[in-house]
Amino acid sequence: MELIHAFGGTLNPGLAPAPSRKFANPAPLGLCAFGLTTFVLCMANVQARGVTNPSVVIGCAYFYGGFIQLCAGMWEMVLENTFGATALSSFGGFWLAFAAIETDAFGIVSAYGDDINGLNNMLAFFLIAWFIFTFGLVLCTLRSTVAFFLLFFTLDMAFLLLGIGHLYPTDAGAPNVGVTKAGGVFGLLSAFFAWYNAFAGLATKENSLITVRPIPMPWNLGYKATKTKSG
């Protein structure tokens, strides 16, 4: 018996029904775009090898995490996957917005001048808003797979901690290092879970010696039905 899940489409490997149209699955592309861009940024957040300037991620944020992920989200619309379209398109928009904030030509940061406190507060509000949005997505993964739930849960924690880091900066006005590093760790976990889910959607018996078997959440309706039938 096929496992039943809480939303349609193919973003959640192994639990989704076949789409009514013959198109390739865009979810792995969107997940890879998200995972790679998140990984690059969070390596700076955790200050790996002493790096504190994340400017290199701006290119990824515009073209891979932003544009490509936004395209993948729109293609999820074609596959009748409301959740996939909402999640991938929204986070594509997040990366484009992040890149705009970090781009001097937009004048967003310079608009605050010497008001470092105001800038930190607004960046905190920006991140906390994404924490609230992602929390809603977390609730929509409670009956999916363990890896899929952990992807959004760790991302949600990353947004929360990074937001708190800006709410309680140092005396010099820099984000709180300890909290930001903790947020970076959760971001790195989220990146790897994104890659894991992408691999689950890409790897088949025809193209890979290694495939991923989805592990459903214990309260997944299809999982419960299968256990009841087998028992």
Side-chain angles (χ1 to χ4, degrees), residues 149-166:
F149 165 77
L150 289 174
L151 162 60
F152 288 94
F153 175 77
T154 52
L155 175 61
D156 206 29
M157 293 302 299
F159 279 133
L160 176 62
L161 290 169
L162 292 173
I164 292 174
H166 282 283

Side-chain angles (χ1 to χ4, degrees), residues 85-156:
T86 301
L88 293 180
S89 299
S90 295
F91 290 124
F94 163 79
W95 284 116
L96 289 170
F98 171 84
I101 293 171
E102 295 293 323
T103 301
D104 293 338
F106 282 95
I108 296 174
V109 173
S110 61
Y112 289 87
D114 296 329
D115 186 12
I116 302 300
N117 185 57
L119 175 61
N120 272 317
N121 283 329
M122 284 306 300
L123 289 173
F125 299 155
F126 173 74
L127 291 165
I128 289 173
W130 282 101
F131 159 74
I132 296 170
F133 167 76
T134 306
F135 181 74
L137 297 182
V138 172
L139 297 180
C140 293
T141 65
L142 291 177
R143 285 181 170 170
S144 61
T145 64
V146 174
F148 199 63
F149 165 77
L150 289 174
L151 162 60
F152 288 94
F153 175 77
T154 52
L155 175 61
D156 206 29

Side-chain angles (χ1 to χ4, degrees), residues 8-211:
T10 55
L11 183 65
N12 195 13
L15 295 185
S20 61
R21 298 181 178 87
K22 294 182 179 179
F23 290 99
N25 179 10
L29 174 62
L31 290 168
C32 286
F34 171 83
L36 187 145
T37 311
T38 302
F39 175 84
V40 175
L41 175 62
C42 289
M43 288 297 282
N45 285 337
V46 299
Q47 298 186 10
R49 298 185 63 85
V51 174
T52 58
N53 186 344
S55 295
V56 167
V57 79
I58 296 175
C60 294
Y62 272 126
F63 300 107
Y64 197 33
F67 177 70
I68 294 299
Q69 190 176 181
L70 179 61
C71 289
M74 293 297 100
W75 294 327
E76 287 285 353
M77 283 284 191
V78 178
L79 294 180
E80 305 166 13
N81 184 357
T82 303
F83 181 93
T86 301
L88 293 180
S89 299
S90 295
F91 290 124
F94 163 79
W95 284 116
L96 289 170
F98 171 84
I101 293 171
E102 295 293 323
T103 301
D104 293 338
F106 282 95
I108 296 174
V109 173
S110 61
Y112 289 87
D114 296 329
D115 186 12
I116 302 300
N117 185 57
L119 175 61
N120 272 317
N121 283 329
M122 284 306 300
L123 289 173
F125 299 155
F126 173 74
L127 291 165
I128 289 173
W130 282 101
F131 159 74
I132 296 170
F133 167 76
T134 306
F135 181 74
L137 297 182
V138 172
L139 297 180
C140 293
T141 65
L142 291 177
R143 285 181 170 170
S144 61
T145 64
V146 174
F148 199 63
F149 165 77
L150 289 174
L151 162 60
F152 288 94
F153 175 77
T154 52
L155 175 61
D156 206 29
M157 293 302 299
F159 279 133
L160 176 62
L161 290 169
L162 292 173
I164 292 174
H166 282 283
L167 280 178
Y168 300 98
T170 64
D171 293 337
N176 187 290
V177 176
V179 179
T180 300
K181 283 186 175 181
V185 170
F186 276 101
L188 288 173
L189 290 174
S190 181
F192 280 105
F193 281 123
W195 277 326
Y196 176 90
N197 282 282
F199 180 79
L202 286 172
T204 66
K205 294 179 180 179
E206 291 74 26
N207 67 15
S208 176
L209 296 175
I210 301 173
T211 58

